[in-house]
Amino acid sequence: MTRTLLLAIDVGNTNTVLGLYRGAELVDHLRIESRRNSTTDEYSALLHMLLHQRGLGFADIEQAVIGSVVPPLTTVFDEVCRRGIGRPPVIIGPGTRTGMPIQVDNPREVGADRIVNAIGAYERFRTACLVVDFGTATTIDVVNTKGHYLGGVIVPGIGISADALFARAAKLPRVEVQVPPGVIGKTTVQAIQSGLVYGYVGLVEGLVERLRVALGEPARVVATGGLAPLIARETTCIEEVLEFLTLDGLRLVYERNRDGDPAPRRS
């Protein structure tokens, strides 16, 4: 059997998203929970089962690329790939060639997800971009017209804020993050939902405005992450939601490192 697929693995703090690419085409994707205490054996078995459900197996996968913000799981998925595919994956980190200059004080501090988001957005639009990622943390990353990564903003994510409110305020309930009937909450649940949704709408709009001024040039604003569609519907500053932006960025970085250069650079 000829191996034809690239497995892109985006390991986040809450979920791990896996994409199966044939060339530039995303042919399927999977989403699993990021469990820090799970073993290589457990994740190997889970991935084998999920691939089997799709009529696939490790034998169909040519190579893998990993972007992770959870160091213990980086090691686990590295070993999963070595065992299943029979070769080491490309792991995004210091020394990985990205094709994008990282113009921050310490490039090693920048999370792999932020870098690949920036790469995916710039490759798609070829212009300055502000990339909003609604994940465990909400991040906004800045790329200028030249395709240089300039840094960005990190704030607690919507889910973290909701959990903190429930944990620290004895009389407030845990709520589902969704758009309430109106901005004026008529119940406690609606008031919390209004604060979470419209609070983050205001946060994103305010930060985007300040970042555009600081950047000093027009920039396209795109969003990704689980809650991106919900927030994007409530604001005019987000121009497009790209569900698989992180996976696309991982694919691009893999392609820039597939020639086996022994000492690629992350800039």
Side-chain angles (χ1 to χ4, degrees):
M1 180 181 294
T2 302
R3 297 176 180 228
T4 59
L5 299 176
L6 169 69
L7 175 63
I9 306 174
D10 169 29
V11 184
N13 286 293
T14 304
N15 293 307
T16 294
V17 183
L18 305 97
L20 292 164
Y21 283 90
R22 183 174 290 110
E25 178 191 5
L26 180 65
V27 297
D28 209 340
H29 69 280
L30 341 166
R31 182 180 296 270
I32 58 179
E33 184 181 357
S34 296
R35 299 189 301 253
R36 287 170 173 77
N37 295 325
S38 290
T39 65
T40 299
D41 288 337
E42 289 171 325
Y43 270 116
S44 291
L46 177 59
L47 186 52
H48 174 79
M49 179 190 70
L50 291 171
L51 289 170
H52 180 72
Q53 289 174 349
R54 290 159 170 79
L56 299 169
F58 282 114
D60 297 292
I61 299 172
E62 178 185 7
Q63 183 55 287
V65 56
I66 299 173
S68 173
V69 296
V70 187
L73 290 182
T74 307
T75 303
V76 168
F77 279 103
D78 180 19
E79 185 60 26
V80 168
C81 293
R82 289 172 184 266
R83 288 187 190 179
I85 302 170
R87 63 192 71 178
V90 172
I91 299 176
I92 311 301
T96 307
R97 184 199 299 113
T98 65
M100 175 173 282
I102 312 300
Q103 297 184 341
V104 299
D105 292 344
N106 185 358
R108 292 175 178 269
E109 291 180 347
V110 185
D113 54 340
R114 299 176 65 193
I115 297 298
V116 297
N117 281 346
I119 291 168
Y122 185 76
E123 184 71 17
R124 187 182 185 96
F125 299 110
R126 288 291 174 175
T127 188
C129 297
L130 303 180
V131 186
V132 190
D133 188 345
F134 294 96
T136 304
T138 295
T139 60
I140 308 179
D141 292 295
V142 183
V143 183
N144 66 14
T145 302
K146 296 179 180 178
H148 297 178
Y149 178 87
L150 303 183
V153 174
I154 304 174
V155 298
I158 300 174
I160 288 178
S161 297
D163 289 344
L165 196 61
F166 170 73
R168 300 297 296 272
K171 295 186 68 175
L172 296 183
R174 188 185 298 275
V175 304
E176 181 181 355
V177 179
Q178 63 182 31
V179 178
V183 68
I184 301 175
K186 299 296 186 180
T187 67
T188 299
V189 168
Q190 291 177 7
I192 295 172
Q193 289 172 333
S194 178
L196 290 171
V197 173
Y198 297 116
Y200 271 83
V201 167
L203 180 148
V204 170
E205 290 176 342
L207 286 173
V208 164
E209 182 178 354
R210 287 175 177 267
L211 289 169
R212 277 178 161 159
V213 171
L215 181 59
E217 59 182 349
R220 192 176 187 95
V221 183
V222 298
T224 192
L227 290 173
L230 184 149
I231 300 299
R233 287 194 297 268
E234 302 302 318
T235 177
T236 58
C237 75
I238 295 173
E239 300 169 65
E240 190 168 352
V241 174
L242 302 172
E243 181 180 2
F244 301 113
L245 178 63
T246 311
L247 294 179
D248 286 342
L250 285 170
R251 174 185 61 80
L252 289 165
V253 173
Y254 165 74
E255 291 175 352
R256 294 169 186 178
N257 288 270
R258 67 186 304 173
D259 59 4
D261 186 335
R265 297 183 176 275
R266 186 178 166 177
S267 62

